[in-house]
Amino acid sequence: MTEREERRFAEVPRESIKLMAESTGVELSEEVAALLAEDVCYRLREATQNSSQFMRHAKRRKLSVEDFNRALRWSNTETVCGYGAQDALPFRPLKEGELFFVEDREINLVELALATNIPKGCAETMVRVHVSYLDGKGNLEPQGTVPTAVQSLSEDLLKYYQQITRAILGEDPHLMKVKSVSHDLDQLNRLLHMVKSLVQNPYLYLGSYVRSLVSSVMYCILEPLAASINPLNDHWTLRDYAALLLSHIFWTHGDLVSGLYHQILLSLQKVLSDPVRPLCSHYGAVVGLHALGWKAVERVLYPHLPAYWANLQAVLDDYSVSNAQVKADGHKVYGAILVAVERLLKMKALSLTLAAGGGSAGLPGTTTGAVGFRENSPGLSPPPEPLSEPPLGIASHLQAGGAGCQWEEWTPVSLPAMYCELYSFFGDSLAVRFSTDPPLGGAPSSRSCQPLEGRKEPASGAPNLENTRKMPQLTASMNISPRQDGSPRMEPQPPSLAATVPGRSLARSSSSSSSVSRSRSSSSRPGRSTSQSRDIFPKARFPLPQAGPPAFSFIIGGRQMGRRCQGRRFQTSFTPTPPLNTLPPRAYAHKLPVIGRVSKPVRRWTCSHYSLHLPL
Amino acid sequence: MAAVQDGPMELDTEKETKPEILSDGTSKLSGNAASGTLSSSPLTAGGAPKQEDQQTLIAVLQFLRRNKLSESVEILRREAGLEDQEDSQTLDGSGGGKGDRDGGEANSLLSRVSITSAAAPQIILSTSVTNEQLDVSVVLSAYSQQGDPSLYQVYYSGLKNFIESVLDCHRAELSQLFYPLFVHMYLELVYNNHENEAKAFFEKFGGDQECYYQDDLRVLCGLTKKEHLKGNEVLLDFRTSRFVLRISRDSYQLLKRHLQERHNNQIWNIIQEHLYIDIFDGMPRSKSQIDSMSGSFAGEARREVNKVKVFHGLLKEPEIEVPLDDEEDEAENEEGKPKKKKTKKDSMGSKSKKQDPNAPQQNRIPLPELKDSDKLDKIMYMKESTKRIRLGPENLPSICFYSFLNAYQGLTAVDFTDDSSLLAGGFADSTVRIWSVTPKKLRKVKSAGELNLIDKESDDVLERIMDEKTASESKILCGHSGPVYSVSFSPDRNYLLSSSEDGTVRLWSLQTFTCLVGYKGHNYPVWDTHFSPFGYYFVSGGHDRVARLWATDHYQPLRIFAGHLADVTCTRFHPNSNYVATGSTDRTIRLWDVLNGNCVRIFTGHKGPVHSLAFSPNGKFLASGSTDGRVLLWDIGHGLMIGELKGHTDTIYALKFSRDGEILASGSMDNTVRLWDSTKAFDDVETDDFTAATGHIHLPDNSQELLLGTYHSKSTPVTHLHFTRRNLLLAAGGYSSQ
């Protein structure tokens, strides 16, 4: 009994006590720490018990920090400051370590001070009266009833419904519809998870409810949420997740509703072709299309691209400060399109060459290998060197056998036209994503693809929800590359930087692709609590090309304001050794979980001096 | 004058040491278990001191002398000596409220009050000095015996086996012993530093205890160190007060024989020292009978405490001539204007109402005289009551719900004026807000300078003094520095009381909307305050475990009702203003005599802190609601529980009888208002042949028959209920979106 009871209490381990003591410079013996830990537990329990009476007398159900503080104050103890919010603070676990923390976002005071939308004050407390029950019977308004849509359900389903709604929405029965939750990201997230569970429940025949589920998910994908206004809110993750879910629903339950695919495509298309919609909606549309498969991308996105491109380009080219936010969003969309298009090309190529034995063999391998795989384009850009030791090498060994060589043999049939057109939009970004054999280096592409895979692994710790939609078809890159050699020179480069030296153009493109990757990776990590990486969307600026001395130094200055390891400022400089420098990139890739990938464009073939500055 | 000192140090010790002082006396001086009664309030009780009280006093004096606190000794002795003379005195200086009382009498009252309060802090000071010693000595005296810790389990399980083997009729009664014995044995183990044995003991037998002790057990099991024992109030109470058990003589003999045969001194000692066994002759009680009465911190109430005669009848209504109908219109037209000639008392035609035999004397406690405006209000009341709807099971009241919007979970208390014209809300942000429920706006009185300018002879002077510019629907009263936990309107609508976490009760004027007085004395959060139905007096209760009686024109309490073992959570005045009921976290309800400060009733039976109380309009019955979601009904005259209303699923914060007492409305955190057929509940019992002598009730489980209706609000906990004079039910609560 005691043990059971005790386990019900929170316990402060003696290690924590020792740690606290050490932080104040006191050394505690094991014994003292144990005693102290026990005493602390008891005092905490006592304070909690005392605080409950303040809650009861305030006629609340929820114990607030204030209550606890009052209990502390009345027992002559220092109060806990800084957590006086009425609502519960989100308490998040860290996936990697057994660490829990209260989310503590940095607030940009300048932004807040100069913001044009001044927050409204709290509404005045007021009293409203209504006659609830006339003569104890008449019920003027139905009270506490369930929405009409639910009333037709059977008894069991109704119970199920109530359980679900309670689990998701808490006790309040008034937040039933998606619409009404609309702008709370947390709620939407919860909703999506619920939808996922519903979809995955094998005992539930969803029938016509699929349509409503889809509409809810579509809402999450496309709706310009109010939360999107704040760059700190990670609505991108929500959209990514929703898109993934959409495809999941579609693939598993698509047969239940005829024409669902069409409908979805139509609505996505509508959003995409509507220039008035905010960029985040566009992003959702692109991600959604992407999730639905490359065919969808081909059918909808590809034809729309020319028209859409103009808008996007306008946004991206506007360097004014006021546009910064929109521009960041624009880059987001840009990245999404790039990824979608990339896959389109690859899949198209693949579909054309399925006959090739190596290709068919390679594909499943890569897809399975993609489980722990985080799409990150740095891996796609030309690697400096075949890796000596692939860190986790799931995929590397799959392709180690020279998949590149195999793929090199075939050439896409209809691809060139599409590629050319796409290239006209994306320029080298695309080229880089397709890996691209370095014009100067002349290193065999088959080798270059290998490190790619190895490179990706370090980042694959966080489970990536979207990995499925991102086929790490790096192999495909090889075959395009030969043709692609010439393309940078033939096509005019959209961005301002004029390419004089092929090597430089490559570097640029790699940087832009890396920037894309950065934004994407930040958006695509659901476990990541902060999404600030978004607003540091890197604008790659290059100094004027200097005369190309063989040695170059490459500096990435970047900063990620985040919870985990991003809080640092990275200044990496590579001193390249013109002949294959193996070590530096690897080391950095390890050290810098996010930027490390950015840092990858270390190129041994470059002979010019670049500084790549990632401004905040 | 020492007045009430407010340093946190003394306060802490006041709380902690008060019971110790008492127990110090009793434990030393009362050898046998049966005679050791705890005087509930030796410092304030004005009644004739019993032998034990005097002994307690002597003990305190000895203690003071030992600690060289001669001044306190003097004061206390003077106080003790004065008591006999002041015995017969009534509440002087508190009546009338007009200051026209005899000066000498008022002085004597005042001096007495100040002596009391001066003596108290002195003692407190002294005890704070030697707190450590005292505490240890008290504890030592409580747990002096040192048995073999490993045998505790054997003792307990031996007793357990015995009790389980006795006849069924005795088993239920003797099972009552389990909980107090368990706790005391556990504490003894902890106190004597046998931590592991204590844990093992708890583990083995903790699960056997009644479910309604779970809360206490949870506190208990967290406590495994002697050091922790020292600061824990709950257990301090347990140690120093005697747990009361009611056992029939047969069962008791059985137990005694068993323990003597086994030479089980350990348990026998605990029973002797820490339990009070109230032995009665007759049939042993059944399990359900026992369960309905148990659950409080300190066991059941002793039978003799509930034997005191309580005058629960209503006072005679003052005779006021109700104006005729044609004048009625006029009166309504010129509302607010005093009509002296009409409201003149007519003493001739007033013999129609007979004096209630149970009513106290009209002047048992001095009550304020009726003012003209009060009489006017009475007339209004009578007129309204003629239009009152007769409620009953077939005729349920309509319910209006006042929802507080945008209160952000901060609404803590609500009150309506008796005529339902004003609504006050107390908030966690330490403000009090007042709304006018009628179209009539709230106006302040003009400032002094402006008042000089108006024509005082004019007929509508009362209208002229109001400042039209300040008219608004609501007013905010700021002054507290902590959440406001209760608000109470005075019957004449001129004042509002609010009590707060900051330890004060504040009196606000509803003419100027300013704070008039801050009553300091509790020094700890004040959970509840309530105006007397006749105004002038009010009662407050708080975390310091005492309830205090105040008069609005005294800045110090007139009475301190001490005796609860935990926070006083709610306080209510009896309709005749002679008694005060308090509910507490110790899960008991006590009724106190305002005249002498004595505790005249202790009601046990709740299984959780009592958070709401309501007297029936005829003064005979009391309803109480607690966190366990049950409403209990009590017969005040007989001191018996007469009903249990089950249905709510959460704490009941609001209880109200309809104006005629036929319906009891209860409002709870579970967002419902429930209506109960109180007439039936009372009738069922009254037809019963009272086993009043034994006090053994047998409750019919008829909650469902008595429940007339359940009414849901929209995610709004019900904080307050109020019947208008025409029996429309008003409910109020803060809408909570989550």
Side-chain angles (χ1 to χ4, degrees):
Chain A
M1 182 79 184
T2 324
E3 270 171 22
R4 205 172 60 229
E5 291 277 328
E6 295 242 301
R7 236 173 279 137
R8 214 188 294 156
F9 294 131
E11 295 232 354
V12 182
R14 67 187 67 166
E15 287 78 24
S16 309
I17 299 286
K18 288 187 90 167
L19 214 64
M20 293 291 261
E22 275 167 28
S23 71
T24 53
V26 185
E27 195 69 33
L28 289 184
S29 73
E30 196 68 25
E31 203 181 324
V32 175
L35 279 175
L36 261 179
E38 204 174 335
D39 194 55
V40 165
C41 294
Y42 174 75
R43 299 293 165 198
L44 274 177
R45 245 172 273 154
E46 195 180 32
T48 315
Q49 274 158 2
N50 288 343
S51 61
S52 71
Q53 67 183 349
F54 289 97
M55 173 192 75
R56 277 206 305 271
H57 284 283
K59 303 186 170 77
R60 268 182 282 118
R61 278 194 204 89
K62 229 199 275 177
L63 189 73
S64 73
V65 182
E66 268 306 295
D67 295 331
F68 195 79
N69 271 344
R70 283 182 208 292
L72 288 181
R73 205 173 303 142
W74 284 111
S75 54
N76 291 330
T77 314
E78 213 171 298
T79 56
V80 184
C81 296
Y83 297 96
Q86 288 274 337
D87 298 313
L89 294 169
F91 197 59
R92 302 205 173 209
L94 198 62
K95 284 222 173 70
E96 283 80 0
E98 292 208 349
L99 188 62
F100 294 83
F101 59 91
V102 175
E103 203 169 338
D104 191 11
R105 282 178 173 159
E106 283 178 33
I107 294 172
N108 189 341
L109 284 179
V110 177
E111 209 169 87
L112 201 66
L114 300 177
T116 46
N117 54 334
I118 297 158
K120 275 184 215 144
C122 304
E124 185 65 19
T125 304
M126 53 186 172
V127 183
R128 283 288 168 272
V129 61
H130 48 258
V131 177
S132 306
Y133 294 92
L134 211 52
D135 296 335
K137 343 178 177 68
N139 217 349
L140 294 189
E141 291 173 64
Q143 318 256 337
T145 53
V146 287
T148 45
V150 188
Q151 280 167 343
S152 55
L153 293 178
S154 71
E155 189 82 353
D156 288 345
L157 278 176
L158 199 63
K159 256 185 215 154
Y160 186 63
Y161 166 83
Q162 280 163 351
Q163 291 292 335
I164 288 178
T165 46
R166 182 161 317 140
I168 299 170
L169 302 172
E171 292 289 308
D172 189 354
H174 293 284
L175 292 175
M176 287 306 172
K177 282 172 243 137
V178 189
K179 268 288 185 199
S180 56
V181 238
S182 98
H183 296 292
D184 186 343
L185 283 178
D186 273 348
Q187 291 243 4
L188 284 175
N189 250 329
R190 265 188 283 166
L191 183 97
L192 282 184
H193 281 281
M194 177 208 61
V195 171
K196 185 172 173 224
S197 336
L198 280 180
V199 169
Q200 284 176 345
N201 188 344
Y203 301 103
L204 204 60
Y205 176 74
L206 289 171
S208 58
Y209 294 106
V210 169
R211 198 180 292 276
S212 50
L213 280 183
V214 165
S215 70
S216 321
V217 176
M218 290 290 274
Y219 175 87
C220 293
I221 298 179
L222 297 176
E223 195 65 16
L225 303 170
S228 309
I229 294 167
N230 187 345
L232 293 180
N233 285 333
D234 191 7
H235 58 104
W236 308 104
T237 310
L238 182 77
R239 292 177 202 281
D240 288 347
Y241 185 67
L244 184 68
L245 194 60
L246 180 67
S247 76
H248 186 76
I249 296 177
F250 175 69
W251 291 122
T252 51
H253 292 86
D255 51 332
L256 292 178
V257 182
S258 56
L260 185 67
Y261 185 64
H262 253 292
Q263 277 177 14
I264 297 174
L265 282 192
L266 271 180
S267 54
L268 289 176
Q269 181 177 353
K270 211 176 105 199
V271 171
L272 201 61
S273 56
D274 183 357
V276 187
R277 293 274 192 146
L279 283 167
C280 50
S281 291
H282 289 154
Y283 175 82
V286 173
V287 176
L289 282 172
H290 183 64
L292 286 176
W294 63 276
K295 285 233 165 73
V297 177
E298 187 182 13
R299 271 170 67 175
V300 181
L301 181 62
Y302 181 63
H304 271 86
L305 211 48
Y308 186 69
W309 189 254
N311 295 330
L312 187 60
Q313 197 61 43
V315 169
L316 292 182
D317 283 346
D318 184 354
Y319 280 95
S320 62
V321 176
S322 62
N323 195 44
Q325 177 63 46
V326 181
K327 187 159 139 51
D329 290 355
H331 275 292
K332 210 72 189 159
V333 179
Y334 177 84
I337 297 178
L338 190 59
V339 170
V341 162
E342 172 201 349
R343 171 135 172 262
L344 167 65
L345 286 175
K346 285 174 191 162
M347 293 305 288
K348 208 153 169 66
L350 185 63
S351 69
L352 289 169
T353 56
L354 263 183
S360 55
L363 178 62
T366 44
T367 39
T368 50
V371 172
F373 172 71
R374 159 199 295 292
E375 37 73 28
N376 42 6
S377 48
L380 299 167
S381 61
E385 227 271 297
L387 275 187
S388 35
E389 350 86 70
L392 290 170
I394 303 172
S396 63
H397 65 81
L398 285 171
Q399 305 213 322
C405 304
Q406 292 170 357
W407 292 67
E408 216 161 24
E409 271 121 42
W410 51 265
T411 41
V413 184
S414 71
L415 268 181
M418 185 183 280
Y419 183 80
C420 286
E421 186 177 351
L422 290 174
Y423 191 85
S424 69
F425 298 128
F426 293 103
D428 278 347
S429 315
L430 193 61
V432 164
R433 291 186 77 85
F434 275 76
S435 118
T436 93
D437 148 85
L440 297 186
S445 51
S446 60
R447 287 175 72 198
S448 68
C449 74
Q450 197 176 341
L452 298 184
E453 303 297 348
R455 245 334 172 67
K456 283 168 243 156
E457 301 313 326
S460 65
N464 190 345
L465 288 167
E466 291 135 310
N467 42 31
T468 49
R469 76 164 186 228
K470 196 124 310 190
M471 310 290 240
Q473 284 303 336
L474 308 165
T475 46
S477 58
M478 306 321 153
N479 55 52
I480 308 175
S481 46
R483 188 187 36 73
Q484 182 224 356
D485 288 339
S487 51
R489 283 174 217 122
M490 307 184 303
E491 312 277 349
Q493 303 229 332
S496 54
L497 202 74
T500 44
V501 191
R504 196 192 313 129
S505 81
L506 240 183
R508 193 212 79 79
S509 62
S510 78
S511 75
S512 78
S513 77
S514 69
S515 65
V516 167
S517 80
R518 171 96 88 74
S519 66
R520 288 208 51 74
S521 69
S522 70
S523 73
S524 62
R525 257 201 265 174
R528 186 56 66 94
S529 59
T530 50
S531 64
Q532 286 93 336
S533 55
R534 202 168 64 75
D535 50 4
I536 49 157
F537 194 85
K539 294 178 271 183
R541 301 249 167 108
F542 294 87
L544 282 178
Q546 290 151 10
F552 82 98
S553 76
F554 189 82
I555 296 167
I556 298 164
R559 188 149 177 237
Q560 290 243 339
M561 312 173 297
R563 259 277 152 190
R564 293 187 298 187
C565 24
Q566 300 100 316
R568 286 171 276 161
R569 166 173 283 276
F570 299 109
Q571 281 269 334
T572 31
S573 64
F574 301 86
T575 35
T577 43
L580 330 164
N581 58 337
T582 48
L583 264 180
R586 277 213 29 72
Y588 283 104
H590 268 303
K591 232 198 254 171
L592 319 174
V594 176
I595 306 275
R597 269 166 273 129
V598 181
S599 74
K600 86 159 313 297
V602 180
R603 236 147 278 132
R604 66 213 124 105
W605 58 84
T606 30
C607 40
S608 50
H609 184 102
Y610 295 114
S611 132
L612 193 135
H613 178 59
L614 307 176
L616 265 181
Chain B
M1 196 160 67
V4 178
Q5 313 192 6
D6 42 8
M9 185 61 189
E10 292 109 296
L11 308 178
D12 276 345
T13 55
E14 172 175 24
K15 226 153 58 87
E16 283 169 16
T17 52
K18 194 158 272 174
E20 284 162 16
I21 296 166
L22 302 182
S23 77
D24 202 28
T26 47
S27 60
K28 257 185 236 151
L29 300 162
S30 55
N32 59 340
S35 74
T37 53
L38 265 180
S39 134
S40 55
S41 53
L43 294 176
T44 51
K50 293 171 203 153
Q51 189 71 10
E52 286 82 12
D53 283 343
Q54 269 182 355
Q55 284 178 338
T56 309
L57 274 174
I58 292 165
V60 172
L61 281 171
Q62 274 174 351
F63 172 81
L64 292 174
R65 219 171 289 138
R66 203 167 55 228
N67 289 289
K68 303 186 182 65
L69 291 155
S70 52
E71 196 183 338
S72 310
V73 173
E74 276 307 302
I75 292 168
L76 191 60
R77 186 180 282 159
R78 200 177 341 132
E79 157 78 354
L82 274 176
E83 264 184 23
D84 293 326
Q85 303 164 17
E86 291 186 21
D87 247 0
S88 55
Q89 248 177 6
T90 53
L91 249 180
D92 308 314
S94 48
K98 289 296 178 194
D100 54 354
R101 308 283 301 182
D102 169 34
E105 263 188 2
N107 270 345
S108 77
L109 175 101
L110 269 177
S111 68
R112 200 183 141 207
V113 167
S114 59
I115 285 168
T116 314
S117 53
Q122 288 290 350
I123 294 169
I124 287 147
L125 267 178
S126 69
T127 49
S128 73
V129 174
T130 55
N131 189 21
E132 193 72 3
Q133 289 173 315
L134 182 72
D135 192 49
V136 171
S137 72
V138 166
V139 173
L140 275 177
S141 74
Y143 292 128
S144 52
Q145 60 176 336
Q146 167 77 296
D148 183 354
S150 56
L151 288 179
Y152 275 54
Q153 288 198 25
V154 178
Y155 292 147
Y156 189 85
S157 52
L159 185 75
K160 194 175 154 191
N161 289 337
F162 160 70
I163 290 177
E164 275 165 3
S165 66
V166 298
L167 285 175
D168 280 359
C169 60
H170 299 301
R171 191 189 302 150
E173 286 206 313
L174 292 179
S175 296
Q176 299 176 80
L177 277 169
F178 282 139
Y179 176 69
L181 274 181
F182 171 78
V183 177
H184 277 294
M185 290 173 84
Y186 179 78
L187 290 180
E188 249 177 49
L189 285 172
V190 170
Y191 179 75
N192 292 321
N193 284 325
H194 303 302
E195 188 179 337
N196 292 330
E197 282 87 354
K199 274 184 182 162
F201 185 73
F202 195 101
E203 198 171 343
K204 189 151 183 206
F205 302 112
D208 300 344
Q209 310 305 327
E210 297 284 353
C211 55
Y212 41 79
Y213 291 121
Q214 281 308 316
D215 286 348
D216 292 344
L217 290 179
R218 207 168 295 136
V219 176
L220 204 63
C221 82
L223 189 139
T224 51
K225 292 253 185 292
K226 186 178 174 184
E227 289 74 29
H228 297 161
L229 210 60
K230 213 174 279 175
N232 197 311
E233 290 156 24
V234 177
L235 301 170
L236 208 90
D237 292 334
F238 210 93
R239 268 175 0 206
T240 52
S241 64
R242 283 160 186 276
F243 198 94
V244 181
L245 301 172
R246 229 180 257 181
I247 292 182
S248 70
R249 189 171 296 284
D250 293 348
S251 305
Y252 180 71
Q253 295 295 349
L254 213 60
L255 174 75
K256 201 169 163 185
R257 210 178 309 135
H258 166 79
L259 292 177
Q260 280 168 353
E261 275 170 18
R262 297 290 179 86
H263 303 289
N264 202 338
N265 286 329
Q266 196 78 15
I267 287 181
W268 186 244
N269 282 344
I270 291 179
I271 292 176
Q272 289 285 312
E273 284 179 25
H274 299 298
L275 306 190
Y276 177 96
I277 297 188
D278 193 356
I279 301 162
F280 62 85
D281 296 308
M283 283 279 288
R285 290 187 296 169
S286 70
K287 175 93 176 114
S288 66
Q289 279 177 322
I290 291 168
D291 277 349
S292 67
M293 297 294 285
S294 53
S296 95
F297 264 12
E300 296 181 42
R302 289 168 216 192
R303 271 171 307 151
E304 74 260 15
V305 284
N306 286 348
K307 292 286 180 239
V308 186
K309 164 105 176 137
V310 172
F311 304 100
H312 57 74
L314 298 185
L315 296 178
K316 228 177 347 174
E317 285 291 319
E319 288 80 20
I320 298 167
E321 191 183 76
V322 180
L324 301 171
D325 271 357
D326 55 334
E327 289 165 320
E328 186 181 341
D329 295 335
E330 192 192 344
E332 273 173 0
N333 290 339
E334 295 166 76
E335 206 177 1
K337 182 179 159 186
K339 296 186 175 54
K340 290 182 182 172
K341 61 177 199 291
K342 280 168 199 161
T343 54
K344 270 268 152 49
K345 233 189 283 182
D346 183 6
S347 55
M348 294 310 289
S350 63
K351 297 289 190 278
S352 55
K353 282 183 200 161
K354 252 196 290 174
Q355 172 80 17
D356 188 332
N358 288 313
Q361 274 185 315
Q362 203 72 9
N363 57 353
R364 186 162 179 269
I365 62 163
L367 290 173
E369 276 176 32
L370 283 183
K371 286 177 283 187
D372 289 340
S373 57
D374 296 334
K375 289 171 186 163
L376 202 66
D377 197 53
K378 283 261 187 266
I379 295 167
M380 288 298 294
Y381 175 76
M382 285 175 201
K383 272 192 267 174
E384 288 278 308
S385 53
T386 57
K387 298 173 186 165
R388 180 182 297 162
I389 296 166
R390 183 100 192 141
L391 296 179
E394 287 78 38
N395 199 5
L396 295 176
S398 302
I399 307 176
C400 275
F401 207 104
Y402 286 78
S403 305
F404 285 70
L405 305 176
N406 305 320
Y408 308 103
Q409 301 243 328
L411 181 74
T412 48
V414 180
D415 195 26
F416 282 95
T417 52
D418 188 66
D419 68 347
S420 318
S421 64
L422 297 178
L423 168 66
F427 291 86
D429 62 0
S430 31
T431 58
V432 176
R433 286 158 204 258
I434 299 171
W435 282 269
S436 172
V437 176
T438 58
K440 204 173 153 193
K441 300 222 166 158
L442 301 173
R443 292 169 302 174
K444 286 184 188 174
V445 171
K446 285 176 183 163
S447 67
E450 288 175 75
L451 282 179
N452 276 334
L453 302 175
I454 60 174
D455 175 16
K456 289 165 193 77
E457 301 304 315
S458 74
D459 282 347
D460 57 346
V461 66
L462 287 179
E463 195 60 27
R464 288 190 184 197
I465 59 169
M466 307 311 286
D467 189 354
E468 210 51 53
K469 289 195 291 289
T470 59
S472 66
E473 265 183 25
S474 86
K475 297 270 183 217
I476 302 182
L477 307 176
C478 299
H480 281 295
S481 59
V484 177
Y485 287 124
S486 77
V487 286
S488 176
F489 279 106
S490 74
D492 61 2
R493 296 189 298 283
N494 281 327
Y495 305 104
L496 175 78
L497 279 173
S498 63
S499 75
S500 158
E501 191 249 5
D502 62 13
T504 63
V505 178
R506 279 176 187 270
L507 181 75
W508 308 86
S509 164
L510 299 184
Q511 302 296 332
T512 60
F513 294 98
T514 52
C515 182
L516 300 176
V517 197
Y519 300 95
K520 296 175 184 173
H522 276 288
N523 286 319
Y524 276 92
V526 188
W527 299 133
D528 199 11
T529 184
H530 189 233
F531 246 116
S532 148
F534 298 94
Y536 186 63
Y537 300 111
F538 64 92
V539 63
S540 66
H543 182 62
D544 57 359
R545 309 194 231 181
V546 296
R548 289 164 200 249
L549 178 82
W550 311 76
T552 49
D553 55 358
H554 286 63
Y555 65 92
Q556 284 182 330
L558 304 178
R559 296 284 181 272
I560 295 180
F561 305 116
H564 275 297
L565 298 173
D567 302 25
V568 176
T569 50
C570 54
T571 55
R572 280 293 172 275
F573 256 99
H574 190 275
N576 67 19
S577 200
N578 278 257
Y579 296 93
V580 165
T582 57
S584 163
T585 312
D586 68 10
R587 309 193 276 265
T588 62
I589 298 143
R590 283 172 186 250
L591 193 70
W592 309 87
D593 193 336
V594 167
L595 179 68
N596 49 26
N598 285 339
C599 177
V600 291
R601 289 285 182 274
I602 301 177
F603 296 130
T604 63
H606 272 298
K607 313 290 189 261
V610 184
H611 272 274
S612 51
L613 289 170
F615 281 99
S616 69
N618 60 11
K620 274 187 182 169
F621 304 104
L622 178 68
S624 61
S626 90
T627 56
D628 59 13
R630 300 182 314 149
V631 178
L632 297 184
L633 302 173
W634 310 91
D635 183 321
I636 295 170
H638 298 92
L640 289 174
M641 184 196 294
I642 51 168
E644 178 187 13
L645 307 176
K646 286 185 272 193
H648 281 292
T649 56
D650 210 330
T651 308
I652 296 160
Y653 280 116
L655 276 174
K656 196 79 175 187
F657 281 96
S658 67
R659 291 282 172 168
D660 297 321
E662 314 93 336
I663 301 274
L664 173 65
S666 62
S668 153
M669 277 292 273
D670 63 11
N671 300 348
T672 58
V673 174
R674 285 171 203 257
L675 300 180
W676 311 89
D677 188 345
S678 53
T679 318
K680 186 157 183 275
F682 298 142
D683 281 349
D684 282 0
V685 174
E686 275 169 345
T687 54
D688 240 17
D689 179 22
F690 263 143
T691 48
T694 54
H696 301 160
I697 38 118
H698 200 85
L699 288 180
D701 187 15
N702 56 354
S703 293
Q704 288 316 306
E705 298 164 35
L706 298 177
L707 180 63
L708 297 177
T710 303
Y711 305 98
H712 295 268
S713 70
K714 290 179 183 167
S715 28
T716 311
V718 184
T719 336
H720 188 78
L721 290 169
H722 176 80
F723 276 97
T724 66
R725 290 173 174 177
R726 298 187 188 185
N727 266 341
L728 173 71
L729 178 57
L730 308 181
Y735 173 76
S736 66
S737 54
Q738 285 170 345

